Amino acid sequence: MDFISILSIFVLACFVGYYVVWSVTPALHTPLMAVTNAISSVIIVGALIAAAAADVPGAKWLGLLGIVLASVNIFGGFAVTARMLAMYKKKEKK
Amino acid sequence: MVRLLLAAPFAVLATPAHAASGEAVNPWVALAYLVSGVFFILALRGLSSPATSRTGNRFGMIGMLIAVVTTLVTHFPGRSSCDDLAASGRFGFCSDVLVPDWASMTEILIAIAIGAVIGITIARRIAMTAMPELVAAFHSLVGLAAVLVGWAAYLNPGAFGLLVGDSIGAVSKVEMGLGIAIGAITFSGSVIAFAKLSGRMSGSPILLPARHVINLGTLAAIIVLTALFAMAGPTETMPLIIALTVLAFLIGFLLIIPIGGADMPVVVSMLNSYSGWAAAAMGFTLGNTAMIITGALVGSSGAILSYIMCRAMNRSFISVIAGGFGADAGAGGGEAKEQRPYKQGSAADAAFMLEQAEKVIIIPGYGMAVAQAQHALREMADILEEKGVEVKYAIHPVAGRMPGHMNVLLAEAQVPYENVFELEDINSEFAQADVAFIIGANDVVNPAAKTDKSSPIYGMPVFDVDKAKQVFFIKRSMGGVGYAGVDNDVFYMDQTMMLLSDAKKMVEEIVKALD
């Protein structure tokens, strides 16, 4: 992809992010941080590419380490978000 | 395609056949990353209400699964038999079709499994009160992962499809440099934030002399180094990128040490934002839609949260980042140290008056989190509700150590979220409240924010507890003042009763007295 297409996606995504995040209820700001943290670990894509290419050993090991770190975040982030969200309950009808 | 390979010695030096596969040429691959990005948007959208939030979280997982599987399939570790043939130095037929390299694939899956086990174990075991430091720790991992990916791309540009001729393109190098720099700042900054939040390091600001000059100088050096790195020839880049990485780690550290404990909500949000920008920079390098969309989402999310926190303290973002708040407060507090009369009550007194009340508004703060008083608090509220008292919770945006911290703790104690209100929604109700029950909060109820122009918290929106008929203030002792280091007139009001004790112990005693 050329730079301008990528930049267009980026700028539009910033606007989407702006409106989506303002619509998040303040009560869920902590889960919001946990889940954004999990999804920003999509950086694992780069680590996977590095680890899959065997021709430069240094890059491969950096990639593998990157995979471990990002996986901790992905699994930990989604799991802890799920745990938090499960606690938000409505009032029980008596 | 089958080709006859004349395995001359130079063939070993030839670029491997799969090296240029970094760009997602296949439109389906690009589409898969786009879908993954859309799922991430839906994940955040789900958080607009607790009812849809769980579905949202699941959307996030699906998006991540799509991104990872797509990458694994399109970048399956493999080698063409031509490489093997060339390496063996013999003549023969070979094929450009890649032979799967299962050993490498296993290594990758093991790496994912290790991360999964660590991540899930931590997520299950962590106490809800420790959530701020967990989020800070997670941010540091994203930052470090970004640095590693940036370095891997630098060392093996062929695999990432970054080669222009035989060196990395200048635009790619700028993106790479930015990704590494932002990642490194996120890492070292988050490590300091983690240390401060978890009490491994003092929460008070550490002020270096001339820190603004040092920080601005380091930032300028990073920008200059990025430019030099982009312009340098292939053989000269290594020292530049090393210097860039080291300086970026250093500035992250320097930026956060002067910021005090209670400004951490802003810092954690800001680092959240940085981790997003780091992912976006890497997305630019790889031309990957999923990473760019996610980076933009997370970047704006953190930025908005920082803005909300700053607005709730009536301070500019710059003044928070410049740091030092709360460090010089001792001087201002000194003159106001004259003994003023206050009323102290017991748990029995409080219980008696709570029972008589029609409406109670509870204002939790960081002290409640420290004392782990949320469960006892809910027990108290349950008993009061059974006795026909209306109980509501009022939460200030900066209560606690991260955005939404109090909400999570109350949710953990199974307080229904319909009973929990934000500052603007409940502040008008104090006039009708019989009791304002302050537990572990201080600055957020200080009327000096409304009246005293010289106060460091002047202009900060606060709860109008002075309008309530009675104020109960749970506090460990009269000695300590809030984070801002200012005295609080609420202590000395006629209708205030100070309940001096550990928050959890006091609430438990009230519960006992109510029974």
Side-chain angles (χ1 to χ4, degrees):
Chain A
M1 268 195 282
D2 62 304
F3 184 74
I4 291 300
S5 324
I6 298 180
L7 190 64
S8 314
I9 296 175
F10 176 69
V11 171
L12 292 177
C14 284
F15 278 93
V16 172
Y18 180 84
Y19 288 104
V20 169
V21 172
W22 272 115
S23 77
V24 171
T25 165
L28 292 177
H29 276 164
T30 297
L32 171 69
M33 300 198 91
V35 84
T36 49
N37 186 58
I39 65 173
S40 61
S41 304
V42 73
I43 202 150
I44 195 174
V45 165
L48 288 169
I49 296 174
D55 40 358
V56 180
K60 184 186 159 156
W61 285 108
L62 290 180
L64 283 174
L65 187 57
I67 294 176
V68 175
L69 297 181
S71 305
V72 171
N73 245 318
I74 292 171
F75 287 91
F78 282 125
V80 89
T81 309
R83 203 180 128 200
M84 276 191 272
L85 293 177
M87 299 185 315
Y88 283 81
K89 296 226 170 64
K90 274 186 173 258
K91 205 180 288 186
E92 301 145 41
K93 299 248 153 58
K94 283 172 192 162
Chain B
M1 188 182 79
V2 179
R3 68 176 182 200
L4 181 68
L5 186 97
L6 192 66
F10 61 79
V12 184
L13 301 170
T15 325
H18 57 277
S21 58
E23 292 280 359
V25 195
N26 187 337
W28 290 106
V29 174
L31 202 61
Y33 284 129
L34 180 62
V35 170
S36 154
V38 171
F39 271 111
F40 290 146
I41 296 174
L42 292 175
L44 297 199
R45 182 79 191 106
L47 291 175
S48 57
S49 92
T52 54
S53 60
R54 279 163 279 237
T55 323
N57 195 36
R58 249 166 260 139
F59 280 143
M61 295 182 203
I62 296 172
M64 188 60 74
L65 189 69
I66 294 175
V68 170
V69 170
T70 308
T71 314
L72 280 179
V73 170
T74 51
H75 290 85
F76 200 96
R79 49 203 298 117
S80 91
S81 56
C82 298
D83 298 342
D84 293 338
L85 192 69
S88 72
R90 282 175 297 170
F91 294 98
F93 285 102
C94 72
S95 159
D96 259 353
V97 177
L98 297 186
V99 179
D101 176 359
W102 288 104
S104 292
M105 189 62 184
T106 313
E107 284 170 0
I108 290 175
L109 293 178
I110 289 175
I112 295 179
I114 294 174
V117 169
I118 300 175
I120 292 177
T121 314
I122 295 174
R124 286 224 178 119
R125 293 213 183 138
I126 193 84
M128 282 299 148
T129 39
M131 204 49 75
E133 54 256 42
L134 178 74
V135 168
F138 277 170
H139 286 156
S140 74
L141 296 184
V142 181
L144 191 55
V147 175
L148 295 176
V149 171
W151 265 89
Y154 169 73
L155 293 174
N156 190 0
F160 288 83
L162 301 178
L163 287 177
V164 178
D166 57 355
S167 62
I168 311 172
V171 177
S172 296
K173 281 199 283 192
V174 172
E175 294 159 356
M176 200 183 279
L178 282 178
I180 291 177
I182 303 172
I185 294 173
T186 312
F187 172 74
S188 53
S190 299
V191 167
I192 301 299
F194 169 78
K196 288 198 172 197
L197 286 166
S198 63
R200 285 173 176 80
M201 186 176 158
S202 156
S204 53
I206 298 168
L207 301 175
L208 298 176
R211 64 200 151 89
H212 296 309
V213 179
I214 299 175
N215 289 355
L216 289 176
T218 317
L219 273 182
I222 289 174
I223 293 167
V224 171
L225 280 171
T226 311
L228 288 176
F229 173 63
M231 292 183 296
T235 51
E236 306 155 342
T237 51
M238 184 63 97
L240 292 171
I241 191 172
I242 291 177
L244 178 70
T245 313
V246 171
L247 278 186
F249 277 128
L250 185 69
I251 186 81
F253 175 77
L254 290 175
L255 275 176
I256 310 302
I257 51 166
I259 304 179
D263 276 344
M264 280 301 142
V266 181
V267 170
V268 174
S269 314
M270 182 185 82
L271 292 167
N272 184 239
S273 178
Y274 286 0
S275 71
W277 303 131
M282 284 302 151
F284 272 92
T285 317
L286 303 183
N288 184 300
T289 329
M291 279 163 90
I292 293 168
I293 295 180
T294 314
L297 288 179
V298 178
S300 359
S301 166
I304 290 172
L305 290 177
S306 312
Y307 168 76
I308 293 175
M309 295 298 116
C310 287
R311 189 183 56 179
M313 294 191 288
N314 190 37
R315 294 177 53 205
S316 73
F317 186 69
I318 301 290
S319 90
V320 173
I321 296 312
F325 192 69
D328 49 358
E335 57 199 286
K337 272 278 148 46
E338 42 161 318
Q339 286 289 319
R340 292 162 70 182
Y342 61 91
K343 269 185 284 181
Q344 189 176 349
S346 69
D349 302 336
F352 177 74
M353 281 184 266
L354 283 168
E355 269 180 315
Q356 310 296 315
E358 272 173 36
K359 181 168 182 170
V360 175
I361 300 178
I362 299 174
I363 302 161
Y366 184 56
M368 180 192 79
V370 175
Q372 299 257 28
Q374 66 270 30
H375 298 280
L377 189 65
R378 196 199 77 129
E379 216 179 312
M380 184 188 90
D382 279 354
I383 298 174
L384 290 176
E385 281 184 328
E386 267 170 44
K387 293 179 191 276
V389 183
E390 185 187 4
V391 181
K392 286 183 173 180
Y393 297 81
I395 298 194
H396 195 277
V398 290
R401 285 292 185 266
M402 75 184 292
H405 191 185
M406 291 299 123
N407 302 78
V408 171
L409 295 181
L410 292 178
E412 187 198 11
Q414 297 177 332
V415 171
Y417 58 77
E418 294 102 319
N419 291 1
V420 182
F421 296 87
E422 301 300 316
L423 174 64
E424 312 90 73
D425 300 329
I426 199 162
N427 219 2
S428 58
E429 292 186 32
F430 279 101
Q432 294 103 50
D434 298 296
V435 176
F437 191 91
I438 303 162
I439 171 167
N442 191 348
D443 293 337
V444 298
V445 297
N446 194 337
K450 290 184 284 187
T451 52
D452 181 3
K453 283 204 170 112
S454 66
S455 169
I457 57 170
Y458 180 73
M460 167 173 156
V462 291
F463 291 114
D464 300 328
V465 287
D466 45 337
K467 296 208 175 113
K469 287 194 194 81
Q470 288 242 296
V471 178
F472 294 167
F473 208 124
I474 301 191
K475 201 170 177 306
R476 212 165 314 169
S477 69
M478 286 306 287
V481 283
Y483 171 67
V486 279
D487 207 5
N488 192 338
D489 283 338
V490 172
F491 301 159
Y492 315 110
M493 294 190 312
D494 283 343
Q495 72 264 47
T496 304
M497 186 163 81
M498 299 301 296
L499 303 168
L500 300 177
S501 164
D502 172 74
K504 188 176 174 187
K505 229 166 84 193
M506 177 56 73
V507 177
E508 280 168 351
E509 277 169 26
I510 295 176
V511 169
K512 248 182 252 158
L514 280 171
D515 275 341

